[in-house]
Amino acid sequence: RQYLADLSKEEKRSHQTAKAERDNFLKQMEAMKQHLGQQARAKAQAQEKEWGDAVKKLALRHQQEVAQLEAELVRIRAEAERNGSEIQGLRSENESLKAGAARLSLEAKVMGEMKELLQQREDNLQTIEKALAEREKAVAQREAKEKREAELGLLKLRKGFEDN
């Protein structure tokens, strides 16, 4: 009986140790998951801010260029009126509009690429979260299997002891 009692105590200690290790592992996994999530969110926010700043700079530069082009257009129109050459002013205005359209097209392309990069970052974060969830599931399954095996071993040991 003493041997059985000692064996039962040892099994309880072993089970408590395994449970403590599992709990510690799960806490570490959760902390790692939170840390990775925070890092990914911080990177995404920093990237989004950086892109927002870049877009603002592009918009400001575009406004400045538009203002310059408008000023140049006014100058050209005045010159054309002075020289009686309205055709010259219309050609310059047409070229300015084409240049503005080309810039807008380029900016739209840049914005599309930025959106794709943000989507890729979001997809990467989701992949990491799925992998962590699968790892936690595998750990839980392994612990359940170990618990069943330990209980089965105890039952066999008790049956063997009772048979003796």
Side-chain angles (χ1 to χ4, degrees):
R1 286 187 172 179
Q2 181 60 38
Y3 174 73
L4 223 121
D6 291 345
L7 191 59
S8 179
K9 286 179 184 176
E10 182 61 32
E11 185 178 332
K12 285 180 182 176
R13 270 190 241 120
S14 175
H15 179 69
Q16 289 173 346
T17 302
K19 184 180 180 198
E21 289 174 353
R22 184 198 80 209
D23 291 345
N24 188 31
F25 177 78
L26 290 176
K27 286 178 186 175
Q28 289 175 349
M29 280 290 136
E30 182 61 27
M32 183 184 295
K33 179 180 172 183
Q34 289 177 359
H35 177 69
L36 289 174
Q38 288 172 349
Q39 276 185 330
R41 281 190 291 281
K43 284 182 181 179
Q45 287 172 347
Q47 190 67 47
E48 189 175 4
K49 183 185 182 312
E50 181 180 320
W51 288 340
D53 293 344
V55 168
K56 287 176 184 175
K57 286 179 184 177
L58 283 174
L60 181 60
R61 188 179 326 139
H62 177 71
Q63 287 175 344
Q64 291 171 344
E65 287 175 0
V66 166
Q68 288 173 350
L69 290 173
E70 289 174 349
E72 185 176 336
L73 184 59
V74 168
R75 183 189 60 78
I76 290 172
R77 281 184 177 163
E79 184 180 58
E81 287 175 9
R82 280 192 306 266
N83 296 333
S85 176
E86 188 67 26
I87 294 172
Q88 177 72 26
L90 292 173
R91 285 182 184 160
S92 297
E93 184 175 345
N94 188 31
E95 289 175 9
S96 295
L97 290 175
K98 284 181 183 178
R103 276 189 214 96
L104 288 175
S105 174
L106 179 62
E107 289 175 10
K109 181 181 176 183
V110 168
M111 292 296 285
E113 291 172 359
M114 287 180 186
K115 184 177 179 181
E116 288 176 15
L117 288 173
L118 281 173
Q119 184 60 46
Q120 287 174 358
R121 289 188 183 272
E122 181 65 28
D123 292 347
N124 289 344
L125 178 59
Q126 289 176 359
T127 300
I128 289 169
E129 290 174 350
K130 285 180 184 177
L132 284 174
E134 289 174 7
R135 176 72 176 150
E136 290 174 359
K137 181 180 176 184
V139 168
Q141 288 174 346
R142 187 190 78 222
E143 290 173 353
K145 180 181 176 187
E146 290 173 359
K147 182 180 178 184
R148 285 193 303 271
E149 289 174 355
E151 290 173 354
L152 183 61
L154 181 60
L155 286 175
K156 285 182 180 180
L157 189 61
R158 285 183 181 158
K159 182 168 174 38
F161 183 79
E162 289 174 1
D163 288 347
N164 286 338

